[in-house]
Amino acid sequence: MPLTDVDVASRACVLAGLNPISGFNNSNDEEKASQELYPGVRDQCLTSYSWRFAVKESQLDRLTSTPVSGRWEAVYDLPSDMLMLRAVTVSGRRIPYDRYAESNIYTNTSSDDVVVADYVFQVSEAHWPPYFARYAEYKLAAVLAASITLQSDLAGYYDQQAEIQFVTAKHMDGQSQTSGYERTRAPTSRFLQVRR
């Protein structure tokens, strides 16, 4: 059965010594607190590292508007599902960029360039690996313990457990790509660049 946001929140409630929840229905303190706190904790956990399951790439759309300052040549629209931008590339090479508006980046690229963004997105809980789900549960348990039970020692304990699980999760997540593989293209020698 696929994991849901309610499953994660319910497990966190149990860890914090609270009653499990069956939904975000605002019918008790656990549900109210979970509904309010869960989205922020989820997004914090997703953006705390470049989790392979939560990073994707997308070709960016160049806008017709041009930057006013003259420091940049082009404006691109960012993906709507983006939580955090990790890199902007052209032909596999990272390029300089700046983010001015909430959903645009500015670059020095030509209209012929294919500009690609690597970014963290809000992946559904159904696609979370168990190591990440446990990390998010510990993080939420710490927040719930602090907000509902007011037990700072319990909140501190789960915050420590979250940090331990974070290290384990990073290690496990790192196994989902080729070890030591550099995703950008290897630089060509100056001799080959001149010949091209």
Side-chain angles (χ1 to χ4, degrees):
M1 188 167 150
L3 189 67
T4 67
D5 53 356
V6 173
D7 294 332
V8 175
S10 185
R11 291 176 187 175
C13 285
V14 172
L15 286 170
L18 304 168
N19 294 318
I21 64 170
S22 58
F24 296 127
N25 304 315
N26 284 324
S27 61
N28 56 42
D29 288 343
E30 288 88 345
E31 289 182 357
K32 290 175 188 173
S34 295
Q35 182 178 12
E36 289 297 318
L37 299 172
Y38 179 78
V41 172
R42 175 202 59 216
D43 292 352
Q44 177 191 6
C45 290
L46 284 169
T47 58
S48 64
Y49 179 69
S50 290
W51 306 104
R52 298 312 315 151
F53 70 91
V55 174
K56 65 180 175 178
E57 62 180 17
S58 179
Q59 182 176 333
L60 300 181
D61 294 325
R62 186 179 176 120
L63 303 179
T64 56
S65 59
T66 56
V68 177
S69 70
R71 291 184 301 236
W72 302 103
E73 297 170 4
V75 181
Y76 291 85
D77 200 20
L78 291 169
S80 60
D81 63 344
M82 186 185 79
L83 289 176
M84 177 178 262
L85 185 60
R86 292 293 185 188
V88 178
T89 61
V90 172
S91 300
R93 295 179 192 264
R94 289 178 182 249
I95 62 167
Y97 68 90
D98 210 341
R99 187 172 177 184
Y100 285 102
E102 68 182 51
S103 63
N104 295 335
I105 61 162
Y106 291 17
T107 67
N108 286 326
T109 52
S110 74
S111 58
D112 296 332
D113 288 328
V114 176
V115 178
V116 175
D118 286 9
Y119 63 98
V120 175
F121 72 106
Q122 188 177 308
V123 62
S124 165
E125 288 82 358
H127 300 291
W128 286 7
Y131 57 80
F132 179 81
R134 178 57 69 180
Y135 166 58
E137 290 163 9
Y138 282 146
K139 271 301 210 191
L140 185 58
V143 173
L144 291 170
S147 66
I148 296 178
T149 68
L150 304 177
Q151 295 181 26
S152 60
D153 56 335
L154 186 61
Y157 171 77
Y158 279 117
D159 213 28
Q160 288 177 341
Q161 292 303 306
E163 291 308 310
I164 293 167
Q165 183 61 29
F166 176 71
V167 172
T168 301
K170 277 179 29 178
H171 173 72
M172 294 178 80
D173 194 68
Q175 296 176 13
S176 62
Q177 74 181 72
T178 306
S179 178
Y181 174 70
E182 181 61 38
R183 288 189 291 168
T184 58
R185 293 183 185 176
T188 57
S189 71
R190 288 176 47 199
F191 175 72
L192 289 176
Q193 288 176 344
V194 170
R195 289 193 62 188
R196 289 184 183 160

